Amino acid sequence: MTKPIDSNPDPKSPVLRLDRLEVRYPSRTAESDAVVVDGLGCEIARGQAVGVLGESGSGKTSLALAVTGLLPSEARCSMELEILGRPVPAAADERFWRRLRGDTIGMVFQQPSLALHPMRRVGLQVADVLLSHRPWSARSCRRKVMELLDELDLESDIFQAFPHQLSGGQRQRIVLAQALACEPSLLVADEPTTALDRKTEIQVLELVRRLSRERQMALLWISHDPGVLAEITDRIYVMYAGRWMEEGPTESLLAEPNHPYTKLLLDCLPRRKALRSEPLDRRRLTVIPGMAPPASELPSGCRFVDRCPVVTESCGEKPSPVPMGQGRTWCVRAGSTRLGSGP
Amino acid sequence: MSRLVGRLAQGALLLVVLSMLVFVFAELAPGDFFTGAVLDPRMSEELIETLRLQYGLEQPLHIRYLRWASSVARGEGGFSIAYRRPVVDLFLPRAAHTLMLAGASMLLAWIIALVLGIAGAYRAGGWLDRSTLIAVAALLAIPELLLALLGILVAVNTRLPLGGATSLDYASLSLGARLIDRIEHLVIPVTVLALTSLPVLVRHVRTSVLEALDAPFVRAARGHGISGRRLMLAYVLPAAANPLITLFGISFGGLLSGSLVIEGAMGWPGLGPLVLESMTNQDLHVLLAGILGVCAFLWVGNLIADGLLVLIDPRSGD
Amino acid sequence: MSGGPADRAVLSAANISMRYRRGGKLSGSEQIQALDGMSLEVRSGEILALVGPSGSGKSTLARCLAFLERPDSGEVGFQGEAVPWEDVLAMRGLRRRVQLVFQDPARAVSPRFTTEQVLREPQQAWQQRASPQRALDWAQLLAEVELDPKVLPMRARSLSGGQLQRLVLARALVTEPDALLLDETFSGLDLSLQAKLANLVLGLVESRGLTCVLITHNSALAEQLADRSLVLSQGRVVDERSAPDASTGGTS
Ligand SMILES: Nc1ncnc2c1ncn2[C@@H]1O[C@H](COP(=O)(O)OP(=O)(O)OP(=O)(O)O)[C@@H](O)[C@H]1O
Ligand code: SF4
Ligand SMILES: [Mg+2]
């Protein structure tokens, strides 16, 4: 079985290079399409872990589906995508993608509880991935699955189990085993740990981090939780209403965000400690006033304009990226004035 | 196991209650088997009265019911006044024919429906899918009797036999020739009956498979590059099995009622004509056997479907 | 909030144990001790957080405290009196007064129901018996959870996650409960929505004088919202942390 994209071409080329990604869905009500992802680009080097931070509906899943060729048929998508230095043709069809998926690109989905077939033994579900990509016998696939289970700290008798017999954490590991079976160069994960409790979540994250180091595997990790991204990524892209707002190394971005949106978002984290017999009002969390614009009524300039506390006239134009430290910020005021985090 | 026993008891109870209801309704309808005989000039009033007495028709309802019940218990299944013999003797050979017809066409219809429905859903919107849908819509618009007529037309223009389940010289044929003879007689009725139930089955199979293709775990499997036959056999079809098995249970009923009509139109020596006749001449015990037989058949279909559902669900096992 | 009759226990559990049998080839007929002699009190008007890893019995405890499940042993109390499990009618009345809200709102409501139907469900079950004369004020209820009245005729499946979670909260309020149990209600939500819903719950606790049990694995959230936190592990309470008193200068 030949791969459409060789797994070891130029070792210096990034694992993923994405530019000008646009995803739109035809809208049932308005005549114009809903633009869900608008002109995104990013680059992921070998072994690098890149996170995408965004609220629900910001287009994170659409981004993940686009780079794996899994968008639903009604979606319209255009992009310039290179995987391991080789361009993905614009007319790439299912036959092209299905050899990449599971082999060069591993994929872990939102809602792991739904990602496993309820009527098939989980070990077989892992083996299916191998059988689809490797010319191996059933027996050697089985042996490989056993190795994987071991690597993921799962007991070998789990092979025979059905998904409903497993805990959330075990199920998530099985999904990971599927994604990692063919030792992909890139793992795309769409909020894979939201359904897990904190302890299990950390275990899974540490596991993925370890494996990605060992195998030099790149990560595209999508989440709405800065805590998760802090745990696992080297670099974060902040997404809002289909566009990047800010991008930079994980530590500095979370510690000193430059974009008004990132600041406000991080302010929503609970920080204060409650006191007994204080008015409950004092325990309120900070919120970002207003709501994200619906995909059919996006503002023409900065997408955050309706909720931004430091908005100015020039915000009506589309902001271009401003280099800030080791990252970039898509805000017209970036760098010029010190930004407060609102009143 | 205890669940199965429970279901069986439930079914038996159902049949008993049903038989009582039929008795009551037959009582409410005016007249009895001999009402029509009054018009026969050869029958005198006295003769009819003696016959009524002989068959116990003047007895009160509960006595008649108990007599019928004891006849069932003896394995006679009641007594047909029209044919003057136990219902079982009338019923069994015909029931065998009806089951042969219904079973064969069910098999045929399901095979065709599965092939067309799965292939169509796999490439939804493709040429096969579109032509199947058109054919199905057309088939749905043709009444059953017209289909039967078309079947007769085909039979006339080929050397395929029609009417009866075997040829007249069946008894003198060798074993192999007998088999061929039987199959030849089955071809037209089975095809016609299969065609009548096909549209519903094809559509259901297609939608079930389409839904299964859209299930999150099937999409996840595609995300891992699992595709083609492996995806279909190990992921999509098991996911579609649930609604299909339920439909399988229900399709028993449709086929049986369909076969009763087709039998009449095509001269197939099954239960259909007998039961229809018993209805018009109020041969109560035959009618009763027909109704209870149909019900039992439906109920068995349901039982099989439920059993299969339990069987394929990993959660129920262990 | 402290002192006086307000410190009375609304809900209590005395030495309750609960064991599940988990069938299956894999695990044999393994027994899982979900609750292992747990005792606690929920005081009137407080916000009590229950924190602990998954499998520590949080959700089982919540179901017991909502009178939805009867523990194998031990007693569950409501306002100082043991709950009469055998008395079906009385239990129905009690269940009205304690409402449990789950994590996944999509699973808690039927996707085909409209918002109005979702809200009518508990109303039909309880309101007639409780106070037949009073019609429910939809507009006010929706305003309380900050939902646009426009969603009333919309089907649940077309609501966003945030709207759904508000709807589920509104449904819990229909029966005018004394206590609200929130089982991971804020988990899996993004930050800004989590903050908005947490504030909403604070507002409800204040305006309706509710008692609130907050089950979460997010300890920062628990610390910000709750008067008291109980740490659960393996079916027992292993630690209790009270928020420092405002008057005695807990101004760190
Ligand atoms: N098949 C579709 N047809 C029409 N609109 C869609 C479709 N899929 C997604 N959308 C819309 O695209 C926008 C972005 O969706 P997407 O799933 O990418 O968001 P997300 O950031 O992953 O959100 P979440 O955190 O809730 O998963 C949303 O407004 C959503 O309603
Ligand atoms: S561009 Fe303007 S509106 Fe957008 S974030 Fe910057 S200041 Fe706010
Ligand atoms: Mg998503």
Side-chain angles (χ1 to χ4, degrees):
Chain A
M1 198 170 289
T2 54
K3 291 188 184 184
I5 289 181
D6 195 345
S7 51
N8 297 310
D10 180 6
K12 280 194 291 295
S13 61
V15 175
L16 174 134
R17 193 208 307 275
L18 175 69
D19 208 11
R20 276 185 257 262
L21 169 65
E22 192 175 297
V23 180
R24 26 174 96 228
Y25 293 103
S27 149
R28 275 143 295 177
T29 47
E31 63 263 30
S32 60
D33 291 352
V35 182
V36 170
V37 176
D38 185 12
L40 299 186
C42 68
E43 230 179 75
I44 308 177
R46 260 167 197 286
Q48 191 189 19
V50 164
V52 175
L53 177 65
E55 285 173 77
S56 177
S58 58
K60 306 184 299 286
T61 299
S62 305
L63 165 72
L65 295 180
V67 298
T68 45
L70 280 171
L71 281 169
S73 53
E74 72 264 23
R76 264 167 245 144
C77 164
S78 64
M79 61 179 163
E80 287 158 29
L81 178 62
E82 276 174 27
I83 307 272
L84 294 169
R86 307 282 175 87
V88 172
D93 59 358
E94 184 66 18
R95 206 174 306 157
F96 175 91
W97 280 113
R98 80 166 175 234
R99 284 197 263 162
L100 271 188
R101 290 196 297 250
D103 196 354
T104 313
I105 308 177
M107 176 92 198
V108 181
F109 292 89
Q110 212 166 355
Q111 292 176 305
S113 57
L114 300 178
L116 292 171
H117 200 301
M119 288 152 74
R120 194 163 173 78
R121 296 187 190 280
V122 294
L124 291 179
Q125 299 196 43
V126 181
D128 284 334
V129 181
L130 287 163
L131 285 166
S132 298
H133 296 286
R134 300 277 182 266
W136 297 349
S137 69
R139 180 181 297 174
S140 40
C141 284
R142 201 190 156 92
R143 198 173 320 123
K144 173 76 185 171
V145 174
M146 290 305 185
E147 278 172 39
L148 269 166
L149 293 184
D150 187 49
E151 207 172 357
L152 294 172
D153 303 326
L154 289 167
E155 287 150 39
S156 57
D157 63 351
I158 279 198
F159 189 99
Q160 296 294 340
F162 288 101
H164 72 274
Q165 296 169 321
L166 304 183
S167 74
Q170 288 173 322
R171 240 177 273 160
Q172 187 58 284
R173 279 163 217 242
I174 293 290
V175 173
L176 267 175
Q178 285 185 294
L180 298 175
C182 295
E183 317 211 334
S185 312
L186 171 67
L187 181 69
V188 178
D190 183 7
E191 310 215 37
T193 55
T194 354
L196 303 179
D197 71 276
R198 192 75 195 161
K199 199 171 129 207
T200 324
E201 182 173 38
I202 300 276
Q203 280 172 0
V204 170
L205 291 177
E206 273 167 4
L207 184 70
V208 172
R209 195 77 187 118
R210 194 190 81 216
L211 290 172
S212 85
R213 285 214 190 90
E214 280 170 18
R215 299 177 171 190
Q216 277 290 292
M217 177 177 68
L219 295 177
L220 178 59
W221 203 271
I222 290 171
S223 177
H224 62 246
D225 187 348
V228 168
L229 294 182
E231 205 76 44
I232 198 166
T233 61
D234 307 313
R235 210 172 176 80
I236 293 181
Y237 286 76
V238 181
M239 188 170 181
Y240 181 78
R243 286 211 197 129
W244 295 149
M245 296 286 116
E246 176 169 13
E247 173 273 304
T250 299
E251 246 170 69
S252 66
L253 186 136
L254 293 181
E256 294 158 44
N258 289 308
H259 195 282
Y261 171 67
T262 321
K263 286 178 198 244
L264 279 175
L265 187 67
L266 295 179
D267 276 347
C268 293
L269 278 168
R271 288 224 169 80
R272 205 181 149 266
K273 293 198 164 47
L275 300 175
R276 274 184 88 70
S277 63
E278 69 182 340
L280 285 187
D281 246 7
R282 306 231 350 234
R283 295 190 194 166
R284 286 179 165 270
L285 292 142
T286 316
V287 298
I288 311 178
M291 304 236 280
S296 51
E297 297 164 33
L298 293 171
S300 56
C302 173
R303 291 277 156 88
F304 193 53
V305 70
D306 297 331
R307 304 166 82 182
C308 182
V310 293
V311 57
T312 69
E313 300 91 73
S314 46
C315 300
E317 286 154 40
K318 186 176 168 184
S320 33
V322 180
M324 300 282 290
Q326 295 182 53
R328 290 173 293 170
T329 301
W330 282 257
C331 170
V332 295
R333 297 181 57 138
S336 55
T337 11
R338 250 188 66 80
L339 298 169
S341 59
Chain B
M1 200 58 210
S2 62
R3 234 161 85 201
L4 184 68
V5 172
R7 286 293 298 264
L8 286 174
Q10 213 180 354
L13 188 71
L14 183 82
L15 290 183
V16 170
V17 171
L18 194 68
S19 66
M20 288 180 178
L21 278 178
V22 173
F23 256 86
V24 170
F25 279 118
E27 178 78 2
L28 291 178
D32 57 33
F33 181 79
F34 295 103
T35 313
V38 179
L39 300 174
D40 192 332
R42 286 167 303 171
M43 304 279 264
S44 67
E45 292 262 340
E46 295 90 71
L47 180 57
I48 290 175
E49 261 331 292
T50 9
L51 284 173
R52 277 210 169 106
L53 277 175
Q54 188 187 334
Y55 289 112
L57 293 186
E58 83 301 338
Q59 307 254 14
L61 186 64
H62 63 276
I63 300 290
R64 272 181 284 145
Y65 183 79
L66 288 179
R67 283 176 63 162
W68 172 79
S70 68
S71 155
V72 170
R74 281 197 304 275
E76 293 167 4
F79 191 82
S80 163
I81 306 178
Y83 290 85
R84 306 202 185 174
R85 57 177 97 156
V87 172
V88 185
D89 298 350
L90 284 172
F91 229 69
L92 284 187
R94 289 166 210 251
H97 284 142
T98 293
L99 283 182
M100 203 189 298
L101 175 62
S105 44
M106 186 142 159
L107 193 70
L108 183 67
W110 268 98
I111 291 175
I112 299 176
L114 282 174
V115 170
L116 289 182
I118 293 171
Y122 188 58
R123 298 217 186 289
W127 64 267
L128 179 68
D129 188 37
R130 268 178 298 157
S131 32
T132 305
L133 286 181
I134 292 171
V136 157
L139 208 51
L140 209 55
I142 305 177
E144 281 175 22
L145 279 175
L146 192 60
L147 268 181
L149 267 173
L150 287 176
I152 294 171
L153 241 143
V154 171
V156 170
N157 286 307
T158 56
R159 47 172 291 281
L160 285 172
L162 197 65
T166 51
S167 300
L168 291 175
D169 55 355
Y170 182 72
S172 64
L173 293 175
S174 69
L175 207 64
R178 282 185 179 187
L179 191 69
I180 291 171
D181 186 56
R182 283 219 175 250
I183 291 175
E184 278 180 350
H185 277 83
L186 270 170
V187 171
I188 298 277
V190 164
T191 314
V192 170
L193 188 53
L195 282 179
T196 60
S197 54
L198 200 56
V200 176
L201 296 189
V202 172
R203 284 188 177 177
H204 268 89
V205 172
R206 183 176 176 274
T207 31
S208 306
V209 174
L210 274 182
E211 262 170 38
L213 274 168
D214 203 36
F217 45 82
V218 171
R219 274 188 283 160
R222 286 208 301 133
H224 296 303
I226 301 169
S227 62
R229 240 185 321 160
R230 180 169 291 117
L231 185 74
M232 253 353 220
L233 292 180
Y235 289 78
V236 178
L237 292 185
N242 252 317
L244 290 184
I245 289 172
T246 310
L247 178 67
F248 175 76
I250 298 169
S251 70
F252 268 67
L255 265 169
L256 202 62
S257 62
S259 79
L260 294 190
V261 174
I262 298 290
E263 280 173 1
M266 309 201 78
W268 182 257
L271 284 176
L274 182 71
V275 172
L276 283 179
E277 184 193 27
S278 74
M279 220 179 286
T280 46
N281 64 17
Q282 303 198 347
D283 197 357
L284 182 61
H285 290 186
V286 177
L287 179 62
L288 204 55
I291 292 176
L292 294 185
V294 169
C295 272
F297 190 67
L298 283 185
W299 177 79
V300 166
N302 248 309
L303 195 67
I304 294 178
D306 286 357
L308 283 176
L309 284 179
V310 171
L311 210 65
I312 62 162
D313 184 0
R315 261 158 294 200
S316 66
D318 302 330
Chain C
M1 212 153 306
S2 63
D7 260 353
R8 233 180 55 228
V10 181
L11 286 168
S12 60
N15 198 22
I16 58 173
S17 293
M18 186 85 174
R19 180 181 296 198
Y20 291 118
R21 226 153 316 247
R22 189 161 69 177
K25 274 184 198 116
L26 187 71
S27 37
S29 58
E30 189 185 334
Q31 303 244 323
I32 293 172
Q33 191 81 38
L35 297 177
D36 189 8
M38 181 176 297
S39 300
L40 61 91
E41 278 191 348
V42 187
R43 295 170 204 148
S44 174
E46 78 170 340
I47 300 178
L48 173 69
L50 302 177
V51 291
S54 90
S56 59
K58 299 185 301 256
S59 296
T60 309
L61 176 64
R63 281 197 299 276
C64 290
L65 289 180
F67 318 128
L68 298 176
E69 216 164 328
R70 183 180 183 169
D72 295 336
S73 65
E75 232 148 53
V76 176
F78 180 70
Q79 295 190 330
E81 284 178 39
V83 164
W85 292 101
E86 269 81 30
D87 185 345
V88 180
L89 265 179
M91 287 311 292
R92 210 179 275 165
L94 281 180
R95 287 193 186 111
R96 178 183 75 77
R97 310 190 55 180
V98 178
Q99 286 287 308
L100 176 59
V101 178
F102 298 98
Q103 170 175 10
D104 190 353
R107 255 183 257 176
V109 302
S110 161
R112 270 187 262 278
F113 276 21
T114 63
T115 304
E116 185 165 351
Q117 283 169 320
V118 171
L119 292 176
R120 270 190 203 283
E121 252 178 298
Q123 191 202 9
Q124 277 157 358
W126 281 310
Q127 271 254 308
Q128 292 152 351
R129 257 174 242 122
S131 49
Q133 65 276 35
R134 190 166 31 166
L136 193 72
D137 188 347
W138 297 115
Q140 194 198 317
L141 182 63
L142 290 180
E144 240 181 308
V145 294
E146 292 157 20
L147 261 181
D148 192 327
K150 269 192 292 199
V151 302
L152 269 182
M154 280 166 68
R155 297 204 183 273
R157 63 159 168 256
S158 55
L159 300 183
S160 74
Q163 285 173 321
L164 261 180
Q165 198 60 275
R166 286 167 202 273
L167 174 61
V168 175
L169 273 173
R171 178 173 70 175
L173 295 177
V174 168
T175 66
E176 308 195 336
D178 301 315
L180 213 50
L181 307 177
L182 306 176
D183 188 356
E184 302 280 12
T185 304
F186 308 121
S187 308
L189 299 175
D190 53 63
L191 285 179
S192 65
L193 190 56
Q194 168 181 293
K196 279 180 183 161
L197 284 174
N199 288 351
L200 177 67
V201 167
L202 282 176
L204 290 172
V205 168
E206 178 104 273
S207 65
R208 289 197 170 224
L210 291 174
T211 302
C212 181
V213 178
L214 183 72
I215 297 171
T216 179
H217 57 248
N218 184 339
S219 47
L221 190 65
E223 272 172 21
Q224 171 136 7
L225 297 178
D227 297 292
R228 206 153 59 95
S229 299
L230 297 180
V231 183
L232 309 191
S233 175
Q234 301 188 344
R236 290 165 185 271
V237 178
V238 292
D239 193 12
E240 172 172 351
R241 301 176 196 146
S242 288
D245 208 303
S247 49
T248 57
T251 41
S252 56

